[in-house]
Amino acid sequence: MTIALICDVLGEANNGTVIATMNLIEHLKSRGHRVLVVSPDGTKAGIPDYFVAPTMSFGPLIDRAVQKNGVALAKPDKAMLRSVIEQADIVHLEMPFALARCAVKLARELNKPVTSSFHCQAENFTAHIGAMNSALVNHLVYKNFYRAVFSQCNAIHYPTDFIRQLFYQHTRCQVPAYVISNGVSDAFFSPAPKGETREKFTIVCTGRYSPEKAQAVLIRAVAGSKYRDNIELVLAGDGPLKGTLQRLARRKKVACECRFFPRQELIQALHSADLYVHTALMEIEAIACMEAIAAGLVAVICDSERSATRFFAVDERTLFRPNDPRDLRRKIEYFYENRDALQTYRERYAARSLSFGQQECMEQMEHMLLATAKSGRGDQPCGLKTKNMR
């Protein structure tokens, strides 16, 4: 089967969406499918079956803001898209932006079935325009996503049932749904090497340095702890708030390392840590948290109603109130003081990690594409049946 993968954002693997996309590409190719990838990733120029779209320009100020976020947004090249889609048996969209919007119209015109992954919460967009907490603006963004892209698909992939239900609440979307985790690479399940520890009690938090990830609450929590001088933070990631977080840590006298970790280095950092804290206020599926759990860490998670990650927590001791550094400090200090309990919680989390296997998740994604290509033409109306593949 030939699959056209349309990626408005693709580049360095510094966020969950890019990682999930690259994993899907690798899996489909390993199963003998041809994957035609359209994206703005200039590093793929000249590689067979990769097609580099031009990038959007919104003017100098906005362009600088986009670049700070470490992404490039694709600008539709209609002729390129048409030539790619004409070769495909099915079209799969990764983001509901300009490239996907053009592609879904062409796919309809060419009678090609279309699937799409739901990788973008409204807040992932509105956080960058100062409207993250506006219920009305977020609602309008979801409605726009639905009208422009998802309503025209034959099937939608949701990484969690949480986001499927949330999208339905905003749009009453009736497109067939497949709930499939993006999964965690087998590399994170490898046993930790013996003797690889740090001098201080080490806490890792992985995620982009952006407003919705809320890493500042962790710095403030450690700053208020009586064990501050014996705690080291590792904020693994990159993004526009890097300097802000570094300045806050210096001001609060918190030992804090902020940098992007390649996968193998990230695995080593997780293996040498004592605790993982997930601070994000909204998340469709926190691959970063899943990776930490798979690597054997206990996760203390933000109990935000706008995040699916809270469902990973094993009990109240592993949840903290959103934007509440005092509550988070109490949870950290409990595990600092009770190392035996930390080991017990590791075992409880290990049982949960068994459902994170990437191979099974990718096989389910492949099944969705095959089933949709077989049963759905681009001109057919979308059905009503929901398929839970988890």
Side-chain angles (χ1 to χ4, degrees):
M1 182 169 71
T2 299
I3 302 149
L5 204 63
I6 311 301
C7 310
D8 280 85
V9 177
L10 192 70
E12 189 175 4
N14 61 3
N15 64 76
T17 300
V18 173
I19 292 169
T21 302
M22 296 309 297
N23 288 337
L24 180 60
I25 293 169
E26 290 173 11
H27 172 79
L28 292 172
K29 287 183 175 181
S30 74
R31 297 296 290 258
H33 302 291
R34 186 184 180 199
V35 185
L36 309 177
V37 183
V38 182
S39 81
D41 183 5
T43 66
K44 300 295 191 296
I47 299 176
D49 291 338
Y50 278 86
F51 302 84
V52 180
T55 56
M56 287 277 201
S57 178
F58 304 94
L61 291 177
I62 297 178
D63 284 351
R64 277 198 295 271
V66 170
Q67 288 167 5
K68 281 185 179 180
N69 278 281
V71 299
L73 292 174
K75 179 181 179 181
D77 180 330
K78 196 169 181 179
M80 176 196 292
L81 281 170
R82 180 181 290 275
S83 69
V84 170
I85 293 171
E86 284 176 339
Q87 301 175 60
D89 298 300
I90 188 167
V91 178
H92 183 71
L93 314 174
E94 287 290 328
M95 282 284 188
F97 301 133
L99 195 66
R101 293 173 186 223
C102 183
V104 76
K105 290 179 182 177
L106 287 169
R108 284 296 189 191
E109 180 184 322
L110 296 168
N111 249 11
K112 304 287 185 175
V114 183
T115 58
S116 182
S117 286
F118 203 107
H119 286 309
C120 184
Q121 268 179 281
E123 289 90 345
N124 294 136
F125 170 73
T126 58
H128 299 288
I129 59 172
M132 181 173 69
N133 296 315
S134 171
L136 175 60
V137 175
N138 287 324
H139 174 72
L140 292 175
V141 169
Y142 280 126
K143 296 284 280 187
N144 178 268
F145 286 174
Y146 178 67
R147 284 194 302 268
V149 176
F150 294 105
S151 64
Q152 301 178 61
C153 294
N154 295 83
I156 302 173
H157 156 231
Y158 298 95
T160 58
D161 197 54
F162 159 80
I163 193 60
R164 182 190 68 81
Q165 293 185 36
L166 181 63
F167 194 51
Y168 178 79
Q169 290 169 12
H170 284 279
T171 64
R172 294 298 185 264
C173 177
Q174 297 293 325
V175 179
Y178 288 76
V179 179
I180 308 169
S181 171
N182 287 310
V184 172
S185 169
D186 289 345
F188 287 90
F189 289 90
S190 58
K194 292 182 180 180
E196 195 170 325
T197 59
R198 296 177 183 239
E199 289 185 14
K200 295 184 177 182
F201 186 87
T202 303
I203 301 171
V204 175
C205 176
T206 309
R208 285 182 50 71
Y209 306 142
S210 55
E212 73 274 20
K213 302 301 182 183
Q215 292 97 335
V217 71
L218 176 55
I219 296 174
R220 296 182 188 281
V222 172
S225 173
K226 56 189 173 184
Y227 303 116
R228 181 193 65 184
D229 294 339
N230 296 317
I231 295 175
E232 180 181 10
L233 295 184
V234 176
L235 303 187
D238 201 358
L241 296 185
K242 183 176 182 179
T244 301
L245 293 171
Q246 290 174 319
R247 288 190 293 273
L248 177 63
R250 285 195 296 269
R251 191 167 71 250
K252 296 292 185 178
K253 298 180 180 177
V254 172
C256 182
E257 180 181 8
C258 295
R259 69 180 178 90
F260 174 74
F261 286 70
R263 185 166 74 172
Q264 196 54 46
E265 289 185 33
L266 176 60
I267 293 170
Q268 292 170 0
L270 293 172
H271 281 163
S272 64
D274 298 284
L275 189 68
Y276 178 83
V277 174
H278 200 77
T279 55
L281 297 169
M282 64 276 303
E283 205 121 46
I284 291 174
E285 182 187 42
I287 294 296
C289 186
M290 294 164 66
E291 289 172 344
I293 294 170
L297 284 176
V298 173
V300 177
I301 299 165
C302 178
D303 191 15
S304 170
E305 293 182 354
R306 293 184 286 180
S307 173
T309 319
R310 69 187 190 276
F311 297 115
F312 294 148
V314 295
D315 64 20
E316 291 300 313
R317 286 201 184 279
T318 55
L319 286 169
F320 71 94
R321 291 189 294 270
N323 293 315
D324 189 337
R326 291 184 179 181
D327 189 39
L328 177 54
R329 183 199 72 206
R330 286 191 288 268
K331 304 300 168 66
I332 291 171
E333 290 184 344
Y334 171 79
F335 287 112
Y336 183 95
E337 295 168 352
N338 296 275
R339 306 301 171 92
D340 291 341
L342 194 59
Q343 179 56 36
T344 301
Y345 274 84
R346 283 195 189 100
E347 294 168 2
R348 294 175 67 184
Y349 268 114
R352 299 208 166 186
S353 71
L354 297 176
S355 64
F356 298 166
Q358 189 177 92
Q359 181 65 25
E360 181 183 350
C361 297
M362 292 299 99
E363 287 175 359
Q364 292 173 6
M365 287 293 293
E366 182 186 14
H367 171 80
M368 177 192 74
L369 292 166
L370 288 168
T372 306
K374 183 178 179 180
S375 64
R377 294 205 329 266
D379 62 344
Q380 289 180 328
C382 296
L384 303 177
K385 188 177 181 181
T386 297
K387 303 172 180 66
N388 189 325
M389 299 298 294
R390 295 196 75 171

